[in-house]
Coordinates of all heavy atoms in Angstrom, one line a residue:
G1 N 8.4 28.3 -8.3 CA 8.4 29.6 -7.7 C 9.8 30.1 -7.3 O 10.7 29.3 -7.3
P2 N 9.9 31.3 -6.8 CA 11.1 31.8 -6.4 C 11.7 31.1 -5.2 O 10.9 30.7 -4.3 CB 10.8 33.3 -6.1 CG 9.4 33.4 -6.1 CD 8.8 32.2 -6.8
T3 N 13.0 31.0 -5.1 CA 13.6 30.4 -3.9 C 14.6 31.3 -3.3 O 15.1 32.2 -3.9 CB 14.3 29.1 -4.4 OG1 15.3 29.4 -5.4 CG2 13.3 28.1 -4.9
R4 N 15.0 30.9 -2.1 CA 16.1 31.6 -1.4 C 17.2 30.6 -1.2 O 17.3 29.7 -1.9 CB 15.6 32.2 0.0 CG 15.1 31.1 0.9 CD 14.6 31.7 2.3 NE 14.6 30.7 3.3 CZ 13.5 30.2 3.8 NH1 12.3 30.6 3.4 NH2 13.5 29.2 4.7
E5 N 18.1 30.9 -0.3 CA 19.3 30.0 -0.1 C 18.9 28.6 0.0 O 17.9 28.2 0.6 CB 20.1 30.4 1.1 CG 20.7 31.8 1.0 CD 21.2 32.3 2.4 OE1 20.8 31.8 3.4 OE2 22.1 33.1 2.4
W6 N 19.7 27.7 -0.5 CA 19.6 26.2 -0.4 C 18.3 25.7 -1.1 O 17.8 24.7 -0.8 CB 19.7 25.8 1.0 CG 21.0 26.1 1.6 CD1 21.3 27.1 2.4 CD2 22.2 25.4 1.5 NE1 22.6 27.1 2.8 CE2 23.2 26.0 2.2 CE3 22.6 24.2 0.8 CZ2 24.5 25.6 2.3 CZ3 23.9 23.8 0.9 CH2 24.9 24.5 1.6
G7 N 17.7 26.5 -2.0 CA 16.5 26.1 -2.7 C 15.2 26.1 -1.9 O 14.2 25.6 -2.4
F8 N 15.2 26.7 -0.8 CA 14.0 26.8 0.0 C 13.0 27.8 -0.7 O 13.5 28.9 -1.0 CB 14.2 27.2 1.5 CG 14.8 26.1 2.3 CD1 16.2 26.0 2.5 CD2 14.0 25.2 2.9 CE1 16.7 25.0 3.2 CE2 14.5 24.2 3.7 CZ 15.9 24.1 3.9
P9 N 11.8 27.5 -0.8 CA 10.8 28.5 -1.4 C 10.7 29.7 -0.6 O 10.7 29.7 0.7 CB 9.5 27.7 -1.5 CG 9.7 26.4 -0.8 CD 11.1 26.3 -0.4
T10 N 10.5 30.8 -1.2 CA 10.2 32.1 -0.5 C 8.8 32.2 0.0 O 8.6 32.9 1.0 CB 10.5 33.3 -1.4 OG1 9.7 33.2 -2.6 CG2 12.0 33.4 -1.8
H11 N 7.9 31.5 -0.6 CA 6.5 31.5 -0.1 C 6.2 30.3 0.7 O 6.4 29.1 0.3 CB 5.5 31.6 -1.3 CG 4.1 31.9 -0.9 ND1 3.3 31.0 -0.3 CD2 3.5 33.1 -1.0 CE1 2.1 31.6 -0.1 NE2 2.2 32.9 -0.5
P12 N 5.7 30.4 2.0 CA 5.5 29.3 2.9 C 4.6 28.2 2.3 O 4.7 27.0 2.6 CB 5.0 29.9 4.2 CG 4.9 31.3 4.0 CD 5.4 31.7 2.6
K13 N 3.6 28.6 1.5 CA 2.7 27.6 1.0 C 3.3 26.7 -0.1 O 2.8 25.7 -0.4 CB 1.4 28.3 0.4 CG 0.6 28.9 1.4 CD -0.8 29.3 0.8 CE -1.7 29.8 2.0 NZ -3.0 30.0 1.5
L14 N 4.5 27.0 -0.5 CA 5.2 26.2 -1.5 C 6.2 25.3 -0.9 O 6.9 24.5 -1.6 CB 5.9 27.1 -2.5 CG 5.0 28.0 -3.4 CD1 5.8 28.9 -4.3 CD2 4.1 27.1 -4.2
A15 N 6.3 25.3 0.4 CA 7.3 24.5 1.1 C 6.9 23.0 0.9 O 5.7 22.6 0.9 CB 7.3 24.8 2.6
K16 N 7.9 22.2 0.8 CA 7.7 20.7 0.6 C 7.3 20.0 1.9 O 7.9 20.3 2.9 CB 8.9 20.1 0.0 CG 9.2 20.6 -1.4 CD 10.5 19.9 -1.9 CE 10.8 20.5 -3.2 NZ 12.2 20.1 -3.7
S17 N 6.4 19.1 1.8 CA 6.1 18.3 3.0 C 7.2 17.2 3.0 O 7.6 16.6 2.0 CB 4.8 17.6 2.8 OG 4.7 16.5 3.6
V18 N 7.8 17.0 4.2 CA 8.8 16.0 4.4 C 8.4 14.7 3.9 O 9.1 14.0 3.2 CB 9.3 15.9 5.9 CG1 10.3 14.8 6.0 CG2 9.9 17.3 6.3
I19 N 7.2 14.3 4.2 CA 6.7 12.9 3.9 C 6.5 12.9 2.3 O 6.9 11.9 1.7 CB 5.4 12.6 4.6 CG1 5.7 12.4 6.1 CG2 4.7 11.4 4.0 CD1 4.5 12.2 7.0
Q20 N 5.9 13.9 1.7 CA 5.7 13.9 0.3 C 7.1 13.9 -0.4 O 7.2 13.2 -1.4 CB 4.9 15.1 -0.2 CG 3.5 15.0 0.2 CD 2.7 16.2 -0.2 OE1 3.2 17.2 -0.4 NE2 1.4 16.0 -0.3
Y21 N 8.0 14.6 0.1 CA 9.3 14.7 -0.5 C 10.0 13.4 -0.6 O 10.6 13.0 -1.6 CB 10.2 15.7 0.3 CG 11.5 16.0 -0.3 CD1 11.7 17.0 -1.3 CD2 12.7 15.3 0.1 CE1 12.9 17.2 -1.9 CE2 13.9 15.6 -0.4 CZ 14.0 16.5 -1.4 OH 15.3 16.8 -1.9
E22 N 10.0 12.6 0.5 CA 10.7 11.3 0.6 C 9.9 10.2 0.0 O 10.4 9.3 -0.7 CB 10.9 11.0 2.0 CG 11.9 11.9 2.7 CD 12.1 11.6 4.2 OE1 11.5 10.6 4.7 OE2 12.9 12.2 4.8
L23 N 8.6 10.2 0.1 CA 7.8 9.0 -0.2 C 7.1 9.1 -1.6 O 6.9 8.0 -2.2 CB 6.7 8.8 0.8 CG 7.3 8.4 2.2 CD1 6.1 8.2 3.2 CD2 8.1 7.1 2.1
A24 N 6.7 10.3 -2.0 CA 5.9 10.3 -3.3 C 6.6 9.6 -4.4 O 5.9 8.9 -5.2 CB 5.6 11.8 -3.6
P25 N 7.9 9.8 -4.7 CA 8.5 9.1 -5.8 C 8.4 7.6 -5.7 O 8.3 6.9 -6.7 CB 9.9 9.6 -5.8 CG 9.9 10.9 -5.1 CD 8.8 10.7 -4.1
L26 N 8.5 7.1 -4.5 CA 8.5 5.7 -4.3 C 7.1 5.1 -4.3 O 6.9 4.0 -4.8 CB 9.1 5.3 -2.9 CG 10.6 5.8 -2.8 CD1 11.1 5.4 -1.4 CD2 11.5 5.1 -3.9
W27 N 6.1 5.9 -3.9 CA 4.7 5.4 -4.0 C 4.3 5.1 -5.5 O 3.5 4.2 -5.7 CB 3.7 6.4 -3.4 CG 3.7 6.5 -2.0 CD1 3.9 5.4 -1.1 CD2 3.4 7.6 -1.2 NE1 3.8 5.9 0.2 CE2 3.4 7.2 0.2 CE3 3.0 8.9 -1.5 CZ2 3.2 8.1 1.2 CZ3 2.8 9.8 -0.4 CH2 2.8 9.3 0.9
M28 N 4.8 5.9 -6.4 CA 4.4 5.8 -7.8 C 5.1 4.6 -8.5 O 4.6 4.2 -9.6 CB 4.8 7.0 -8.5 CG 4.2 8.3 -8.0 SD 2.4 8.1 -8.1 CE 1.9 9.6 -7.3
E29 N 6.1 4.0 -7.9 CA 6.8 2.9 -8.6 C 6.4 1.6 -8.1 O 6.5 1.3 -6.9 CB 8.3 3.1 -8.4 CG 8.9 4.3 -9.1 CD 8.8 4.2 -10.6 OE1 8.8 3.1 -11.1 OE2 8.7 5.3 -11.2
A30 N 5.9 0.7 -8.9 CA 5.4 -0.6 -8.5 C 6.5 -1.6 -8.4 O 6.3 -2.6 -7.8 CB 4.4 -1.1 -9.6
K31 N 7.6 -1.4 -9.0 CA 8.8 -2.3 -9.0 C 10.0 -1.7 -8.2 O 10.2 -0.5 -8.3 CB 9.2 -2.8 -10.4 CG 8.1 -3.5 -11.1 CD 8.6 -3.9 -12.5 CE 7.5 -4.7 -13.2 NZ 8.0 -5.1 -14.6
A32 N 10.7 -2.6 -7.6 CA 12.0 -2.2 -7.0 C 13.0 -1.8 -8.1 O 13.0 -2.3 -9.2 CB 12.5 -3.3 -6.1
F33 N 13.8 -0.8 -7.7 CA 14.9 -0.4 -8.6 C 16.1 -1.3 -8.3 O 16.3 -1.8 -7.2 CB 15.3 1.1 -8.4 CG 14.2 2.0 -8.6 CD1 13.7 2.8 -7.5 CD2 13.6 2.2 -9.8 CE1 12.7 3.7 -7.7 CE2 12.6 3.1 -10.0 CZ 12.1 3.9 -9.0
D34 N 17.0 -1.4 -9.3 CA 18.3 -2.0 -9.1 C 19.2 -1.0 -8.3 O 20.0 -1.5 -7.5 CB 19.0 -2.4 -10.4 CG 18.2 -3.4 -11.2 OD1 17.6 -4.3 -10.6 OD2 18.2 -3.3 -12.4
V35 N 19.1 0.3 -8.6 CA 20.0 1.3 -8.0 C 19.1 2.5 -7.6 O 18.2 2.9 -8.4 CB 21.1 1.8 -9.0 CG1 21.9 2.9 -8.4 CG2 22.0 0.6 -9.4
Y36 N 19.3 3.0 -6.4 CA 18.7 4.2 -6.0 C 19.8 5.2 -5.8 O 20.8 4.9 -5.1 CB 18.0 3.9 -4.6 CG 16.8 3.0 -4.6 CD1 17.0 1.6 -4.7 CD2 15.5 3.4 -4.6 CE1 16.0 0.7 -4.7 CE2 14.4 2.6 -4.6 CZ 14.7 1.2 -4.7 OH 13.6 0.3 -4.7
F37 N 19.6 6.4 -6.3 CA 20.5 7.5 -6.1 C 19.9 8.6 -5.3 O 18.8 9.1 -5.6 CB 21.1 8.1 -7.4 CG 22.1 9.1 -7.2 CD1 23.4 8.7 -6.8 CD2 21.8 10.4 -7.3 CE1 24.4 9.7 -6.6 CE2 22.8 11.4 -7.0 CZ 24.1 11.0 -6.7
I38 N 20.5 8.9 -4.1 CA 19.9 9.8 -3.2 C 20.6 11.2 -3.2 O 21.9 11.2 -3.1 CB 20.0 9.3 -1.7 CG1 19.4 7.8 -1.7 CG2 19.3 10.2 -0.8 CD1 18.0 7.6 -2.1
D39 N 19.9 12.2 -3.4 CA 20.4 13.6 -3.4 C 19.3 14.5 -2.8 O 18.2 14.2 -2.9 CB 20.8 14.0 -4.8 CG 21.6 15.3 -4.8 OD1 22.0 15.8 -3.7 OD2 21.8 15.9 -5.9
G40 N 19.7 15.6 -2.2 CA 18.7 16.5 -1.7 C 18.6 16.4 -0.2 O 19.5 15.9 0.5
R41 N 17.5 16.9 0.3 CA 17.3 16.9 1.8 C 17.0 15.6 2.3 O 16.4 14.7 1.6 CB 16.3 18.0 2.1 CG 16.7 19.3 1.7 CD 15.6 20.3 2.0 NE 15.9 21.6 1.4 CZ 15.1 22.1 0.4 NH1 14.0 21.5 0.0 NH2 15.4 23.2 -0.2
W42 N 17.2 15.4 3.6 CA 16.8 14.1 4.3 C 17.4 12.9 3.7 O 16.8 11.9 3.6 CB 15.3 14.0 4.4 CG 14.7 15.3 5.0 CD1 14.8 15.7 6.3 CD2 13.9 16.2 4.4 NE1 14.1 16.8 6.5 CE2 13.6 17.2 5.3 CE3 13.4 16.4 3.1 CZ2 12.8 18.3 5.0 CZ3 12.7 17.5 2.8 CH2 12.4 18.4 3.7
R43 N 18.7 12.9 3.4 CA 19.3 11.8 2.7 C 19.3 10.5 3.5 O 19.0 9.5 3.0 CB 20.7 12.2 2.2 CG 20.7 13.2 1.1 CD 22.1 13.6 0.7 NE 22.0 14.8 0.0 CZ 23.0 15.6 -0.3 NH1 24.2 15.3 0.1 NH2 22.9 16.7 -1.0
P44 N 19.7 10.6 4.8 CA 19.8 9.3 5.6 C 18.4 8.6 5.7 O 18.3 7.4 5.5 CB 20.2 9.7 7.0 CG 21.1 10.9 6.7 CD 20.4 11.7 5.6
A45 N 17.3 9.4 5.9 CA 16.0 8.8 5.9 C 15.6 8.3 4.6 O 15.0 7.2 4.5 CB 15.0 9.9 6.4
T46 N 15.9 9.0 3.5 CA 15.6 8.5 2.2 C 16.3 7.2 1.8 O 15.8 6.4 1.1 CB 15.8 9.6 1.2 OG1 15.2 10.8 1.6 CG2 15.3 9.2 -0.2
V47 N 17.6 7.1 2.3 CA 18.3 5.8 2.1 C 17.5 4.7 2.7 O 17.3 3.6 2.1 CB 19.7 5.9 2.7 CG1 20.4 4.5 2.7 CG2 20.6 6.9 1.8
L48 N 17.1 4.8 3.9 CA 16.4 3.8 4.6 C 15.1 3.5 3.9 O 14.7 2.3 3.7 CB 16.2 4.1 6.1 CG 17.4 4.3 6.9 CD1 17.1 4.8 8.3 CD2 18.3 3.1 7.0
L49 N 14.4 4.5 3.5 CA 13.2 4.3 2.7 C 13.4 3.6 1.4 O 12.5 2.8 0.9 CB 12.5 5.6 2.5 CG 11.8 6.2 3.7 CD1 11.4 7.7 3.4 CD2 10.6 5.4 4.1
S50 N 14.5 3.8 0.8 CA 14.9 3.1 -0.4 C 14.9 1.6 -0.2 O 14.4 0.8 -1.0 CB 16.2 3.6 -1.0 OG 16.1 4.9 -1.3
F51 N 15.5 1.2 0.9 CA 15.6 -0.3 1.2 C 14.2 -0.8 1.5 O 13.9 -1.9 1.1 CB 16.6 -0.6 2.3 CG 18.0 -0.6 1.8 CD1 18.8 0.6 1.9 CD2 18.5 -1.7 1.2 CE1 20.1 0.5 1.4 CE2 19.8 -1.7 0.8 CZ 20.6 -0.6 0.9
L52 N 13.4 0.0 2.2 CA 12.0 -0.5 2.5 C 11.2 -0.6 1.2 O 10.5 -1.6 1.0 CB 11.3 0.5 3.4 CG 11.8 0.5 4.8 CD1 11.2 1.6 5.6 CD2 11.5 -0.8 5.5
H53 N 11.4 0.3 0.3 CA 10.7 0.3 -1.0 C 11.1 -1.0 -1.8 O 10.3 -1.7 -2.3 CB 11.0 1.5 -1.8 CG 10.4 1.5 -3.2 ND1 11.1 1.1 -4.3 CD2 9.2 1.9 -3.6 CE1 10.3 1.2 -5.4 NE2 9.1 1.6 -4.9
A54 N 12.4 -1.2 -1.8 CA 12.9 -2.4 -2.6 C 12.3 -3.7 -2.0 O 11.9 -4.5 -2.7 CB 14.4 -2.4 -2.5
S55 N 12.3 -3.8 -0.7 CA 11.8 -5.0 0.0 C 10.3 -5.1 -0.3 O 9.8 -6.2 -0.5 CB 12.0 -4.9 1.5 OG 13.4 -4.9 1.8
A56 N 9.6 -4.1 -0.2 CA 8.1 -4.1 -0.3 C 7.7 -4.4 -1.8 O 6.6 -4.9 -2.0 CB 7.5 -2.8 0.1
R57 N 8.6 -4.1 -2.7 CA 8.3 -4.2 -4.1 C 8.9 -5.4 -4.8 O 9.1 -5.5 -6.0 CB 8.7 -3.0 -4.9 CG 8.0 -1.7 -4.5 CD 6.5 -1.7 -4.7 NE 5.9 -0.4 -4.7 CZ 5.2 0.1 -3.7 NH1 5.0 -0.6 -2.6 NH2 4.6 1.3 -3.8
G58 N 9.4 -6.4 -3.9 CA 9.9 -7.6 -4.5 C 11.4 -7.6 -4.7 O 11.9 -8.6 -5.3
G59 N 12.1 -6.6 -4.4 CA 13.5 -6.6 -4.6 C 14.3 -7.3 -3.5 O 13.7 -7.6 -2.4
D60 N 15.5 -7.7 -3.7 CA 16.3 -8.3 -2.8 C 17.2 -7.3 -2.1 O 18.1 -6.7 -2.8 CB 17.2 -9.4 -3.5 CG 18.1 -10.2 -2.5 OD1 18.2 -9.8 -1.3 OD2 18.7 -11.1 -3.0
P61 N 17.0 -7.0 -0.8 CA 17.8 -6.0 -0.1 C 19.3 -6.2 -0.2 O 20.0 -5.2 -0.2 CB 17.3 -6.0 1.3 CG 16.0 -6.7 1.3 CD 16.0 -7.6 0.1
K62 N 19.7 -7.5 -0.3 CA 21.2 -7.7 -0.4 C 21.7 -7.3 -1.8 O 22.9 -7.1 -2.0 CB 21.5 -9.2 -0.1 CG 21.2 -9.5 1.3 CD 21.6 -10.9 1.7 CE 21.2 -11.1 3.1 NZ 22.0 -12.1 3.8
K63 N 20.8 -7.2 -2.8 CA 21.3 -6.9 -4.1 C 21.0 -5.4 -4.5 O 21.4 -4.9 -5.5 CB 20.6 -7.8 -5.2 CG 21.1 -9.2 -5.1 CD 20.4 -10.0 -6.2 CE 20.8 -11.5 -6.1 NZ 20.2 -12.3 -7.1
T64 N 20.2 -4.8 -3.6 CA 19.9 -3.4 -3.8 C 21.1 -2.5 -3.6 O 21.8 -2.6 -2.6 CB 18.7 -2.9 -2.8 OG1 17.6 -3.8 -3.1 CG2 18.4 -1.5 -3.0
R65 N 21.3 -1.5 -4.5 CA 22.4 -0.6 -4.4 C 21.9 0.8 -4.2 O 21.0 1.2 -4.9 CB 23.3 -0.7 -5.7 CG 23.9 -2.0 -5.9 CD 24.9 -2.4 -4.9 NE 25.5 -3.7 -5.0 CZ 25.2 -4.7 -4.1 NH1 24.5 -4.5 -3.1 NH2 25.8 -5.9 -4.3
V66 N 22.5 1.5 -3.3 CA 22.1 2.9 -3.0 C 23.4 3.8 -3.1 O 24.4 3.5 -2.4 CB 21.5 3.0 -1.6 CG1 21.2 4.5 -1.3 CG2 20.2 2.2 -1.6
G67 N 23.3 4.8 -3.9 CA 24.4 5.8 -3.9 C 23.9 7.1 -3.3 O 22.7 7.5 -3.4
I68 N 24.8 7.8 -2.6 CA 24.4 9.0 -1.9 C 25.3 10.1 -2.3 O 26.6 10.0 -2.2 CB 24.6 8.8 -0.3 CG1 23.8 7.6 0.2 CG2 24.1 10.1 0.4 CD1 24.1 7.3 1.6
H69 N 24.8 11.2 -2.8 CA 25.6 12.3 -3.2 C 26.3 13.0 -2.0 O 25.7 13.1 -0.9 CB 24.6 13.4 -3.9 CG 25.4 14.6 -4.4 ND1 25.3 15.8 -3.8 CD2 26.2 14.7 -5.5 CE1 26.1 16.6 -4.5 NE2 26.6 16.0 -5.5
D70 N 27.5 13.3 -2.2 CA 28.4 13.9 -1.1 C 28.6 13.0 0.0 O 28.7 13.4 1.2 CB 27.7 15.2 -0.6 CG 27.8 16.4 -1.6 OD1 28.7 16.3 -2.5 OD2 27.0 17.3 -1.5
Y71 N 28.6 11.7 -0.2 CA 28.8 10.8 0.9 C 30.1 10.9 1.6 O 30.2 10.8 2.8 CB 28.7 9.3 0.3 CG 28.8 8.2 1.3 CD1 27.8 7.9 2.1 CD2 30.0 7.6 1.5 CE1 27.9 6.9 3.1 CE2 30.2 6.6 2.5 CZ 29.1 6.2 3.2 OH 29.3 5.3 4.2
G72 N 31.2 11.0 0.9 CA 32.6 11.0 1.4 C 32.8 12.0 2.5 O 33.5 11.7 3.5
G73 N 32.3 13.2 2.4 CA 32.6 14.3 3.3 C 31.6 14.4 4.4 O 31.7 15.4 5.2
R74 N 30.8 13.5 4.6 CA 29.7 13.6 5.7 C 29.7 12.4 6.6 O 29.0 11.4 6.3 CB 28.4 13.8 5.0 CG 28.4 14.9 4.0 CD 27.2 15.8 4.1 NE 27.3 16.8 3.1 CZ 26.3 17.5 2.7 NH1 25.1 17.3 3.2 NH2 26.4 18.5 1.8
P75 N 30.4 12.5 7.7 CA 30.5 11.3 8.6 C 29.1 10.8 9.1 O 29.0 9.6 9.4 CB 31.3 11.9 9.8 CG 32.1 13.0 9.2 CD 31.3 13.6 8.1
L76 N 28.2 11.7 9.2 CA 26.8 11.3 9.6 C 26.3 10.2 8.7 O 25.6 9.3 9.2 CB 25.9 12.5 9.7 CG 24.4 12.2 10.0 CD1 24.3 11.6 11.4 CD2 23.5 13.4 9.8
Y77 N 26.5 10.4 7.4 CA 26.0 9.4 6.5 C 26.7 8.0 6.7 O 26.1 7.0 6.4 CB 26.2 9.8 5.1 CG 25.5 11.1 4.7 CD1 25.8 11.7 3.5 CD2 24.6 11.7 5.5 CE1 25.2 12.9 3.1 CE2 23.9 12.8 5.1 CZ 24.2 13.4 3.9 OH 23.6 14.6 3.5
H78 N 27.9 8.0 7.2 CA 28.6 6.7 7.3 C 28.0 5.8 8.4 O 28.2 4.6 8.4 CB 30.1 7.0 7.7 CG 30.8 7.7 6.6 ND1 32.1 7.9 6.5 CD2 30.3 8.4 5.5 CE1 32.5 8.6 5.5 NE2 31.4 8.9 4.8
R79 N 27.2 6.5 9.3 CA 26.5 5.7 10.3 C 25.5 4.7 9.7 O 25.1 3.7 10.3 CB 25.7 6.6 11.3 CG 26.7 7.4 12.1 CD 25.8 8.3 13.0 NE 26.7 9.2 13.7 CZ 26.2 10.1 14.5 NH1 24.9 10.3 14.8 NH2 27.1 11.0 15.1
L80 N 25.0 5.0 8.5 CA 24.1 4.2 7.8 C 24.7 2.8 7.5 O 24.0 1.8 7.5 CB 23.7 4.8 6.4 CG 22.8 6.0 6.6 CD1 22.7 6.7 5.2 CD2 21.4 5.6 7.0
E81 N 26.0 2.7 7.4 CA 26.6 1.4 7.1 C 26.4 0.4 8.2 O 26.1 -0.7 8.0 CB 28.1 1.6 6.9 CG 28.5 2.4 5.7 CD 30.0 2.7 5.6 OE1 30.8 2.0 6.2 OE2 30.3 3.7 4.9
N82 N 26.4 0.9 9.5 CA 26.2 0.1 10.6 C 24.7 -0.4 10.7 O 24.4 -1.6 11.0 CB 26.5 0.8 11.9 CG 27.9 1.1 12.1 OD1 28.8 0.4 11.6 ND2 28.3 2.2 12.7
I83 N 23.8 0.5 10.3 CA 22.4 0.1 10.3 C 22.1 -0.9 9.2 O 21.3 -1.8 9.4 CB 21.5 1.4 10.1 CG1 21.7 2.3 11.3 CG2 20.1 1.0 9.9 CD1 21.1 3.7 11.1
L84 N 22.7 -0.8 8.1 CA 22.3 -1.6 6.9 C 23.1 -2.9 6.8 O 22.8 -3.7 6.0 CB 22.5 -0.7 5.6 CG 21.6 0.5 5.6 CD1 22.0 1.4 4.4 CD2 20.2 0.1 5.4
E85 N 24.1 -3.1 7.7 CA 24.9 -4.3 7.6 C 24.0 -5.5 8.0 O 23.2 -5.6 8.7 CB 26.1 -4.2 8.4 CG 27.1 -3.4 7.7 CD 28.5 -3.4 8.4 OE1 28.6 -4.0 9.5 OE2 29.4 -2.7 7.9

């Protein structure tokens, strides 16, 4: 449907649920990925969910790789390094 700035839908019934946005792609995948690439809204939360998905699906968190779009210019994202170490 039509969108306004930053890709938000113009009709409120088309708004994405935060939980569906972050979790739906991971619920559908039975196996852990080698690499997760995060882009879009709620990136820090989605990064953490990626590691949870990998762990729950038999992946090794120490071998799991996560890339974040626009990581360099966003100091908030760098806090994830402390959490994930």
Side-chain angles (χ1 to χ4, degrees):
T3 59
R4 60 179 199 252
E5 296 171 333
W6 299 97
F8 286 94
T10 56
H11 194 283
K13 288 191 175 189
L14 296 176
K16 295 177 183 172
S17 161
V18 175
I19 291 175
Q20 287 178 338
Y21 183 85
E22 294 177 359
L23 294 177
L26 299 178
W27 283 331
M28 301 299 177
E29 293 296 331
K31 295 182 181 179
F33 300 118
D34 295 326
V35 177
Y36 295 78
F37 183 75
I38 310 301
D39 190 12
R41 298 181 191 111
W42 305 292
R43 290 178 199 165
T46 307
V47 167
L48 299 175
L49 287 169
S50 298
F51 280 96
L52 289 173
H53 178 265
S55 296
R57 300 295 199 258
D60 181 350
K62 293 184 182 208
K63 293 182 180 178
T64 300
R65 299 291 176 247
V66 176
I68 307 171
H69 183 254
D70 288 337
Y71 179 82
R74 308 224 178 161
L76 174 66
Y77 297 170
H78 298 193
R79 294 181 188 176
L80 289 166
E81 294 174 23
N82 295 329
I83 295 168
L84 297 171
E85 284 183 358

